[in-house]
Amino acid sequence: MLNQTDLSRVELNLLVLFRVVLEERHVARAAARLNLTPSAVSHALGRLRLVLNDPLFLRTPKGVVPTERALELDHPIAEIIARVEQLVGSARPFDPAKSHRRFTIGAPDAVLASTTGQLLGSIASRAPHIDIGLIHVMPAPRGGAIGEPWHECLEMLERRELDIAMLPLPAVSPRFEARRLYDEEFVLAMRKGHAFARAPTPAAFSRSQHLLVSLSGEPRGFVDEMLARRGLKRRIALTVPNFMMALVQLAGSELIAALPRRLVQQHAGHFGLMFVELPFARKPDTICAIATKAAMKDAGVAWLMEVVFASIGAGRNRNR
């Protein structure tokens, strides 16, 4: 524990600097983010090392690596910074009707395409001066170094690059708060009158030409993994980088695609599409709105979470 003398030597800026160095793992990059010189960052770290009685960061040829003590301090220091931000922000209580704040929401492409129309309408009716930034987030590629596919997105929440994320991630660590919005199921979408709809058998499914949404262009998805377990495979005739392009391509072709039910239901009429159920059972994905518990102490973020839940979560059963 720090004694009273030690506390008098700790400035809030040192804690902010600690967090930036921990995120960047590099003194020069941290200095650039903080608009400081690398020598100033190194000097500040030296002061923190004396106060906390730990090296905190060890130099390597590629930057710095945190000590075990530094990793332990990450969450407590993040909470201290969030509480100070809340204290400073409380000088002017958050009023959504008058606020001119900007919030950032991240979600996968399909979630954005099927939920944000309703969400943005709800925000505009309650807070006409608030601006929203929508960020398309993606899971880590299969076989990557990150164990959790949404790890990077969760880190964006902790860095406050996102205020809220909507992810197929029902279980989160205690640092986060998650609110269940809806269960996402997949269906087979195709143009109206497609021959597959008259006989949607597993054999016909395997013979069909498929479209796959793949940002990387890799022609393999969860459907292929399920087919492989049954000793089957399919032909992916086309990959596209996002779900809205998938709808366009299905409308004018013989392709079929496994797409989220909510997305297809909302846009089928406009694109002249129909859908049938998948020829095999698949567990739905639970979509949750997620924010850090530290961010939820911000009245604005807490308000946004309630609007997200009310406009998307409360209506989850209407689109089933």
Side-chain angles (χ1 to χ4, degrees):
M1 297 293 292
L2 296 178
N3 59 38
Q4 192 169 7
T5 302
D6 291 327
L7 286 173
S8 69
R9 296 157 55 196
V10 180
E11 303 171 11
L12 180 62
N13 286 340
L14 291 179
L15 301 185
V16 174
L17 180 143
F18 169 86
R19 287 278 295 164
V20 173
V21 175
L22 187 62
E23 291 168 6
E24 293 293 340
R25 303 291 207 271
H26 197 282
V27 170
R29 289 199 297 267
R33 277 182 57 182
L34 294 164
N35 292 318
L36 297 173
T37 64
S39 62
V41 172
S42 295
H43 179 70
L45 286 176
R47 292 163 60 193
L48 262 182
R49 289 183 178 110
L50 289 174
V51 173
L52 298 175
N53 194 29
D54 189 86
L56 298 179
F57 298 97
L58 305 176
R59 293 186 179 277
T60 73
K62 295 184 178 180
V64 295
V65 294
T67 64
E68 183 177 352
R69 177 60 174 155
L71 294 173
E72 291 174 352
L73 289 169
D74 180 22
H75 182 54
I77 288 178
E79 284 196 332
I80 291 170
I81 294 171
R83 288 181 182 233
V84 173
E85 290 175 343
Q86 181 188 17
L87 178 63
V88 173
S90 66
R92 287 187 295 176
F94 177 77
D95 182 350
K98 297 179 181 179
S99 176
H100 286 74
R101 285 182 63 174
R102 177 183 178 84
F103 295 102
T104 304
I105 300 172
D109 174 31
V111 175
L112 291 176
S114 61
T115 63
T116 52
Q118 185 177 0
L119 173 60
L120 295 179
S122 297
I123 292 173
S125 66
R126 295 168 169 83
H129 308 295
I130 281 180
D131 296 326
I132 299 294
L134 300 177
I135 303 293
H136 177 199
V137 297
M138 293 289 292
R142 286 187 296 273
I146 299 174
E148 162 57 56
W150 297 104
H151 178 80
E152 176 59 30
C153 187
L154 295 177
E155 287 194 340
M156 291 174 71
L157 286 169
E158 293 201 282
R159 294 194 298 264
R160 296 301 297 271
E161 295 172 12
L162 297 175
D163 294 296
I164 290 175
M166 296 185 291
L167 302 174
L169 194 61
V172 293
S173 80
R175 301 194 306 275
F176 298 92
E177 179 171 327
R179 303 281 297 274
R180 179 177 176 273
L181 298 178
Y182 62 93
D183 289 338
E184 184 66 277
E185 300 172 334
F186 276 71
V187 297
L188 279 177
M190 64 208 74
R191 65 167 179 80
K192 286 184 177 179
H194 197 291
F196 179 84
R198 295 193 292 271
T201 64
F205 179 83
S206 295
R207 290 195 305 269
S208 297
Q209 298 184 49
H210 292 252
L211 176 149
L212 175 67
V213 177
S214 171
L215 186 62
S216 68
E218 179 188 3
R220 185 174 180 83
F222 76 84
V223 170
D224 302 280
E225 295 170 358
M226 299 186 79
L227 288 175
R229 290 196 290 269
R230 294 165 171 80
L232 301 172
K233 61 181 180 179
R234 62 175 177 165
R235 175 192 172 192
I236 297 177
L238 177 67
T239 64
V240 297
N242 60 68
F243 283 90
M244 294 307 291
M245 185 177 291
L247 299 177
V248 173
Q249 294 300 321
L250 291 177
S253 72
E254 294 301 310
L255 299 169
I256 65 174
L259 300 178
R261 183 187 298 273
R262 285 175 66 107
L263 176 76
V264 178
Q265 286 180 327
Q266 289 189 20
H267 299 286
H270 178 75
F271 289 98
L273 302 178
M274 62 180 297
F275 67 90
V276 298
E277 301 300 321
L278 291 174
F280 45 79
R282 179 180 183 270
K283 184 179 178 181
D285 297 313
T286 297
I287 308 298
C288 288
I290 302 171
T292 65
K293 287 185 176 178
M296 288 292 289
K297 298 181 187 301
D298 179 329
V301 175
W303 170 85
L304 181 62
M305 177 67 86
E306 290 301 322
V307 175
V308 169
F309 181 74
S311 61
I312 301 173
R316 62 180 176 269
N317 293 321
R318 291 199 297 267
N319 293 318
R320 295 290 299 274

